[in-house]
Amino acid sequence: MKQKITKIMIGSIIVFTLVGCANKQTENILYSSEAITIMKEQEVYDTIKKKEYNKTVETFLEQKAFQKEYLEEYYQIDYVEEKDFTTRVNTLLDKSYKPEEINIIFKYLNEKNISKLLDMEYQNITEYVQIPNVEVDKIDRYNAYKEKENLDINTAVTYVNIGLDLEYYSQIQTIEDPSSYTVLLNKYRALPEDYVPDDLTSLSINPNMQLRKEAAEHYEQLQDAALLDNVRIIPFSAYRSKTYQTRLYNNYVNSDGLKNADTYSARPRHSEHELGLAIDVRSSVLLDNLTDNDYQWMQNNSYKYGFIIRYAKGTTPITGYIEEPWHLRYVGIDIATDVHEKNITYDEYYDLYLKETEKN
Ligand SMILES: [Zn+2]
């Protein structure tokens, strides 16, 4: 555009020098002839020619999307190279979005959010638009939860995205790609009814226990590394079929009541053990837990082998489960390392960094 302006300036100087005055008819030379034709048809030629060249205005004219009543707004809207730009801007203007709101919508929101917004009534998005994991159809829920729990806006967005403003096991979403190593399962996300991993492998140290092949290999490396540091850990639960998880959960409900059982046992289709990517480990001196020392070792080292401590100490309000220092989840070394560095739950991590790249 700069070049064009320079050209027209030089042009004007020449014209000025030659004829001694500026010819009003040449002031719109920067607009294409199609644009000028529409201007004349719409009777805005005289208005537009008094103003500086504007790419947005020209685009609306050329694409025959120009609506006279929005002329002032078009001048304030930054041109964006994207398909359906003019149709989308008109839709947003029809919904009473202001030009400055439209500019930040195109600047910050991803395609998914923009599409959703176009199908919704006007939303006040200003304070949410720059939050990377925002989902515009949840703005009412963000506002309500932020108020109710007195949360900062970023936390409210992440927590609501996880589902924490809802009852546990409500609005359950069935995940689409259960064989992904990074899949997120929790009280709002379930496995498809019939999922069975296709590469379950017995652990060499205990043939009764299985994990998916890659997780099994990495677990054995983890256990060997621990032993070198004199940390003796023993697995006590690995892959569970849906039938097994159902029986286990029902037994807990029968003996302890539904409410209590839900704090420490996942309902069928919601357990990471059904993924073949989770393993419970104990210290050799304890029945079903890790000593503080062994837990410390696990916190400092498990990520190097691709495992995270999924229900770490202090995470109950987010995971909805009691602390389970013994429950390791395989997600692969890169992701485990990143989760370890960011020091957040996998529920939060998934919402912030993975959901856009995953199919589910
Ligand atoms: Zn477990």
Side-chain angles (χ1 to χ4, degrees):
M1 205 172 88
K2 249 190 186 154
Q3 217 180 356
K4 276 191 172 175
I5 290 172
T6 315
K7 271 187 194 162
I8 187 66
M9 280 174 67
I10 293 167
S12 305
I13 292 165
I14 292 168
V15 170
F16 218 91
T17 318
L18 289 178
V19 299
C21 68
N23 182 342
K24 291 259 193 254
Q25 293 306 307
T26 63
E27 280 175 15
N28 286 310
I29 197 160
L30 281 167
Y31 287 95
S32 66
S33 53
E34 303 98 285
I36 292 174
T37 307
I38 311 273
M39 275 179 218
K40 289 181 174 164
E41 274 171 27
Q42 298 259 346
E43 296 171 351
V44 287
Y45 181 79
D46 290 337
T47 317
I48 294 177
K49 77 173 183 186
K50 286 183 205 131
K51 297 174 179 258
E52 252 179 64
Y53 170 82
N54 183 289
K55 173 82 174 160
T56 304
V57 171
E58 182 177 53
T59 307
F60 273 80
L61 290 162
E62 284 177 345
Q63 296 187 3
K64 303 199 169 33
F66 183 82
Q67 294 182 28
K68 203 172 169 178
E69 72 271 29
Y70 292 141
L71 180 60
E72 286 310 309
E73 282 80 4
Y74 293 150
Y75 271 103
Q76 299 166 56
I77 293 170
D78 303 329
Y79 175 73
V80 178
E81 191 75 55
E82 82 156 62
K83 109 178 182 338
D84 300 334
F85 173 64
T86 54
T87 323
R88 288 175 159 201
V89 167
N90 282 339
T91 306
L92 293 168
L93 288 168
D94 289 344
K95 290 178 190 289
S96 307
Y97 284 94
K98 297 196 162 49
E100 59 268 29
E101 291 175 303
I102 294 175
N103 287 337
I104 55 176
I105 286 169
F106 285 108
K107 185 167 180 197
Y108 294 109
L109 292 183
N110 61 23
E111 174 55 34
K112 213 194 238 173
N113 275 322
I114 293 175
S115 305
K116 281 186 201 164
L117 213 53
L118 291 164
D119 287 334
M120 296 163 65
E121 293 296 300
Y122 173 85
Q123 299 290 312
N124 187 350
I125 43 89
T126 310
E127 62 172 336
Y128 287 103
V129 78
Q130 288 193 58
I131 298 177
N133 56 331
V134 72
E135 294 174 19
V136 293
D137 51 339
K138 293 183 177 154
I139 284 175
D140 290 345
R141 284 170 61 190
Y142 299 149
N143 286 331
Y145 201 59
K146 182 165 67 102
E147 190 87 354
K148 181 171 170 247
E149 301 291 324
N150 196 20
L151 298 170
D152 68 81
I153 193 161
N154 286 276
T155 308
V157 167
T158 305
Y159 284 11
V160 167
N161 287 349
I162 293 170
L164 294 172
D165 62 325
L166 306 169
E167 292 282 315
Y168 291 141
Y169 297 107
S170 59
Q171 294 193 17
I172 293 167
Q173 188 189 343
T174 301
I175 56 175
E176 283 169 22
D177 188 11
S179 63
S180 159
Y181 287 111
T182 55
V183 71
L184 174 70
L185 274 189
N186 59 28
K187 292 173 194 269
Y188 308 97
R189 294 166 57 87
L191 283 168
E193 287 290 348
D194 52 0
Y195 177 68
V196 178
D198 61 9
D199 59 349
L200 289 169
T201 308
S202 293
L203 299 183
S204 58
I205 35 160
N206 184 340
N208 294 325
M209 289 192 189
Q210 295 181 308
L211 288 177
R212 288 183 59 195
K213 190 164 182 290
E214 188 179 308
E217 287 164 5
H218 283 76
Y219 174 73
E220 286 174 1
Q221 291 170 17
L222 169 75
Q223 188 170 300
D224 289 348
L227 198 57
L228 289 177
D229 287 342
N230 277 324
V231 170
R232 201 174 287 270
I233 56 167
I234 298 167
F236 64 95
S237 185
Y239 170 71
R240 298 173 194 156
S241 66
K242 190 177 86 175
T243 314
Y244 184 89
Q245 184 68 28
T246 306
R247 207 183 320 142
L248 193 66
Y249 174 77
N250 287 342
N251 285 345
Y252 287 133
V253 171
N254 289 335
S255 62
D256 214 3
L258 181 92
K259 213 176 167 201
N260 285 336
D262 274 338
T263 66
Y264 58 81
S265 179
R267 294 186 186 178
R269 295 171 58 211
H270 293 266
S271 173
E272 293 187 328
H273 288 281
E274 293 167 81
L275 291 170
L277 298 174
I279 185 162
D280 295 336
V281 295
R282 63 182 178 87
S283 299
S284 58
V285 296
L286 295 174
L287 273 179
D288 56 9
N289 206 345
L290 291 174
T291 62
D292 287 346
N293 178 63
D294 292 357
Y295 180 66
Q296 193 64 52
W297 186 92
M298 206 55 85
Q299 274 192 313
N300 295 337
N301 296 282
S302 63
Y303 71 91
K304 298 172 190 165
Y305 304 89
F307 288 89
I308 56 170
I309 302 168
R310 179 68 175 87
Y311 308 109
K313 295 184 179 177
T315 62
T316 299
I318 301 168
T319 66
Y321 292 105
I322 56 162
E323 293 167 2
E324 294 190 5
W326 56 83
H327 178 106
L328 304 178
R329 158 69 194 274
Y330 184 76
V331 289
I333 294 170
D334 291 348
I335 302 286
T337 304
D338 206 23
V339 174
H340 174 80
E341 281 167 6
K342 296 196 160 74
N343 195 23
I344 53 179
T345 63
Y346 197 56
D347 306 84
E348 294 164 283
Y349 185 85
Y350 185 88
D351 185 65
L352 284 161
Y353 306 106
L354 294 178
K355 72 176 174 191
E356 292 305 328
T357 57
E358 293 267 319
K359 267 193 268 171
N360 36 77

